[in-house]
Amino acid sequence: MMKAVRFHGQRDIRLEEVEVPKCGKGQVKHLRSVEYAGQVSFLTMGSSQHILIMIDLHEYLGGANIIPSTPHPITKEKVPLTLGHEFSGVIEEVGEGVDDVKVGERVAVQPIIYDGTCQACKDGLINCCDNNGFVGLSGWGGGLSEHVVVPRAAVYTIPEGVSLEAGALVEPIAVAWHSIKVSPLKKGDTVLVLGGGPIGLAVIQCLKAKGAGKIIASEIAPGRKEFAKRFGADYVLDPTTDDIVARVKEICGGIGADLAFDAAGVQAGLNQALKAIRAQGTLVNIAVWEKPAQLQMNDLLFRERKYVGVTTYVEGDFREVLDAIASGELKPEPMITRKIQMDEIEEKGFKALIEEKDKHVKVLVEVNP
């Protein structure tokens, strides 16, 4: 038996004893785990092997939304489920047919579950699979456990000189990296980023690495404003006191930003961003919205602006992020702002994210230290 953090429902997560998963054909088994919750993430660390996982705080607060309450079409699992979909670890066992990675290697785990048969998958868009899900949210175990088994295709070896902690951060950074790849960013472009949570901060870091010009962040919380500056924002605006549209245009010589990335998912921010980008500018949405949003279509029409939705990442993004960390282009480890134990996840993890979210970006959970 092993310990695992399991989601049972709204504000109901439990540290339980569950069966240790067996490593089958074409699979890889890891020891230890890492967990992220909503605006702050949890990294689970152990003495020799580590797995990074993420839980959405919205699931904890609002009940199963992404987590299936009826059997998932691929995993056939439903609540209760082991949590954690952002993680890195050390391989402890490989299954039959796996000969290109070996026991003891450090890896980052790409957690998307996909069927491989729908047209999106055939086109290489596993992030848009008709039946997609995530390890740690949709079944197949999760990073917030002492052991987890994943398909071989889900693991990416971590380069020498890159820590397991940084490897655990690859998943959220890959979300930002992919969004920028999909966007029409050119070197020197001025960019507006809405939201200073983990994904917004990851976008800022990736924009710097990819050669963006001026980076303007819009954020309310004082602590997150400081994080935005630390990670590379040239200007940090507060939508409660600044006229975002006027200030962005002022910074951009009167013409507006070339690009904007919405990592906040707030109607007022969407309205501001559409007006703050230049003619033929692009607004990229990365945010998961809790409520239906409205688009002012004439703000798009008469200025030939574009609105693009982007989700997670595709094959290759993890490797590119790992290489960028290895080269020093990305230095994400300062995103880790707290370390806790598995039995402290609710009190020092989720409740801290709710009550002290201005103080944290990522929270590290140590599993069997």
Side-chain angles (χ1 to χ4, degrees):
M1 301 294 285
M2 68 172 185
K3 293 179 181 179
V5 176
R6 307 262 289 171
F7 176 90
H8 284 259
Q10 186 177 20
R11 293 180 182 267
D12 185 2
I13 57 172
R14 308 175 195 176
L15 182 59
E16 299 179 326
E17 293 281 332
V18 299
E19 294 286 340
V20 176
K22 295 180 180 180
C23 187
K25 184 177 181 180
Q27 294 180 318
V28 175
K29 186 177 182 180
H30 306 266
L31 177 66
R32 306 287 193 263
S33 64
V34 176
E35 169 86 359
Y36 287 148
Q39 298 294 335
V40 180
S41 301
F42 301 111
L43 318 178
T44 306
M45 300 297 300
S47 59
S48 62
Q49 297 172 323
H50 315 277
I51 301 175
L52 173 66
I53 59 179
M54 172 180 175
I55 304 173
D56 194 330
L57 183 60
H58 299 302
E59 301 292 298
Y60 175 73
L61 291 173
N65 294 302
I66 298 173
I67 295 173
S69 54
T70 58
H72 187 273
I74 297 176
T75 69
K76 310 303 180 187
E77 297 179 52
K78 63 177 183 178
V79 173
L81 291 175
T82 299
L83 292 169
H85 76 265
E86 299 177 359
F87 53 102
S88 64
V90 176
I91 297 173
E92 65 169 345
E93 185 180 348
V94 297
E96 179 185 348
V98 177
D99 55 14
D100 56 343
V101 292
K102 60 183 183 293
V103 172
E105 284 195 290
R106 304 173 313 134
V107 294
V109 179
Q110 187 272 88
I112 294 178
I113 295 170
Y114 54 96
D115 60 29
T117 60
C118 69
Q119 191 58 53
C121 285
K122 291 177 181 178
D123 291 340
L125 302 174
I126 59 172
N127 56 330
C128 299
C129 175
D130 292 348
N131 296 304
N132 77 346
F134 293 87
V135 175
L137 285 172
S138 311
W140 291 358
L144 225 138
S145 59
E146 293 176 313
H147 307 266
V148 63
V149 171
V150 297
R152 163 61 188 93
V155 301
Y156 290 78
T157 55
I158 297 174
E160 290 295 323
V162 176
S163 69
L164 278 169
E165 291 95 328
L169 292 165
V170 170
E171 200 278 348
I173 294 172
V175 172
W177 189 269
H178 178 70
S179 72
I180 294 169
K181 286 176 63 178
V182 171
S183 81
L185 176 74
K186 302 184 299 297
K187 285 190 175 182
D189 278 352
T190 299
V191 185
L192 169 65
V193 179
L194 303 180
I199 298 300
L201 295 176
V203 169
I204 291 170
Q205 293 178 69
C206 293
L207 285 169
K208 295 293 284 189
K210 286 182 171 288
K214 297 174 183 176
I215 299 174
I216 308 163
S218 175
E219 172 57 51
I220 295 173
R224 291 182 180 176
K225 291 178 187 176
E226 292 305 312
F227 280 121
K229 293 176 185 175
R230 181 176 181 179
F231 286 114
D234 299 291
Y235 302 86
V236 180
L237 308 180
D238 185 333
T240 64
T241 57
D242 291 311
D243 182 330
I244 299 298
V245 177
R247 287 287 288 121
V248 170
K249 288 186 176 180
E250 177 186 343
I251 292 166
C252 300
I255 61 175
D258 299 293
L259 275 169
F261 290 84
D262 187 354
V266 177
Q267 183 67 56
L270 170 60
N271 295 343
Q272 293 164 349
L274 279 177
K275 291 181 180 295
I277 55 177
R278 65 184 298 164
Q280 294 195 336
T282 301
L283 172 56
V284 179
N285 180 76
I286 322 168
V288 176
W289 288 70
E290 294 180 352
K291 300 176 181 179
Q294 292 184 338
L295 276 176
Q296 303 302 318
M297 297 307 296
N298 286 346
D299 287 337
L300 295 175
L301 174 68
F302 291 117
R303 301 285 283 169
E304 292 192 354
R305 296 170 172 132
K306 303 172 185 67
Y307 185 72
V308 180
V310 179
T311 185
T312 62
Y313 31 76
V314 295
E315 186 175 352
D317 290 331
F318 263 52
R319 175 53 56 202
E320 291 174 15
V321 169
L322 282 163
D323 290 345
I325 295 172
S327 71
E329 288 181 281
L330 293 174
K331 298 178 180 179
E333 289 186 52
M335 294 176 76
I336 300 169
T337 52
R338 172 179 281 183
K339 297 181 181 181
I340 63 174
Q341 308 300 312
M342 277 185 85
D343 59 2
E344 298 175 315
I345 283 174
E346 187 155 27
E347 289 299 319
K348 294 186 178 181
F350 284 108
K351 290 185 179 179
L353 303 183
I354 297 166
E355 299 167 4
E356 304 173 352
K357 64 181 182 180
D358 189 36
K359 297 180 181 179
H360 298 293
V361 181
K362 303 288 185 187
V363 177
L364 182 77
V365 181
E366 297 181 324
V367 177
N368 291 334

